[in-house]
Amino acid sequence: MRAGDRGLHLGQRFSVGSKEEVKMPTSLCGTWDMVSNVNFEGYMMALGVSACIRKIAVKLRLRKAIEQQGDQYIIKTLSTFRNYTIVFRVGHELAEFTQGLDNRHVKSLVKWEGHKLVCEQIGEKKNRGWAHWIEEDKLHLELYCEGEVCKQVFKKNA
C-alpha cells in the first residue's frame, strides 16, 4: 500500500513498515513565475546549446506549471520562445527526448531525496539532472550538467 492509498496528505507523517516515520514532501503543484536565473548560459554551454539559442534563452522569463495526477507528475516549462513538458512517475525510469532543449535522448529517473524532487538523466552528457524543492514559499530549481550548475528561483503565481 502506498502512502497516498492511506488517505494521507502532503506534509503529514506516516510510517513505512519498520522504518522510522517519514514526512511527505511539500506540494510543488501550481504555476510559478521566474524571479532569478543564475548561470543559465553556463549550463546551456555544457549541454552544447548553440550560441544563437543561448542568447535568446537567457533573456526569457520562464513559467513552471506543475501538476500531480495520482502518482504521475506533469512539469511544464513555458516561455514565449519554446515550451517543454515532462510527464513521469516518481521511482520509475523513463526514456526522455529533450526536444527543444538540447535534443538528446536520455534515461531519466526521478525520486524524492528528502524534500527535493531529484532527476538523474543518463545519456551522452555526464553528471546531468535537476532538483526541484520549496524553500520559503519559493520554488527552487537546480539544473546541472558536466560540472555547470544553474540555479533558478520561482514565485507562486496567485
Side-chain angles (χ1 to χ4, degrees), residues 25 28 73 75 86 88-94 96 107-121 127-134 139-144:
L28 304 174
Y73 281 84
I75 299 179
I86 180 172
F88 61 89
R89 286 181 166 71
V90 174
H92 295 262
E93 186 175 270
L94 71 134
E96 182 181 1
K107 288 192 180 198
S108 297
L109 177 62
V110 183
K111 58 188 174 183
W112 285 107
E113 291 183 5
H115 68 287
K116 293 183 178 184
L117 189 61
V118 177
C119 178
E120 180 182 7
Q121 296 173 316
N127 190 30
R128 178 180 181 167
W130 52 259
H132 280 96
W133 72 95
I134 303 290
L139 175 69
H140 292 255
L141 170 61
E142 281 187 358
L143 302 155
Y144 51 89

Side-chain angles (χ1 to χ4, degrees), residues 20-73:
E20 290 186 30
E21 202 172 78
V22 175
K23 185 176 179 186
M24 292 196 54
T26 303
S27 176
L28 304 174
C29 295
T31 302
W32 304 84
D33 293 322
M34 178 181 280
V35 294
S36 68
N37 190 5
V38 177
N39 196 34
F40 193 38
E41 184 160 12
Y43 168 74
M44 289 187 293
M45 287 176 71
L47 288 174
V49 174
S50 74
C52 291
I53 299 296
R54 289 195 318 263
K55 280 186 179 187
I56 295 167
V58 296
K59 294 180 181 186
L60 298 173
R61 284 291 172 213
L62 304 175
R63 175 174 275 183
K64 290 276 185 184
I66 303 176
E67 302 173 37
Q68 183 179 3
Q69 298 173 356
D71 63 348
Q72 178 175 276
Y73 281 84

Side-chain angles (χ1 to χ4, degrees), residues 77-89:
T77 304
L78 309 168
S79 77
T80 55
F81 182 59
R82 289 191 180 150
N83 298 326
Y84 185 75
T85 300
I86 180 172
V87 179
F88 61 89
R89 286 181 166 71

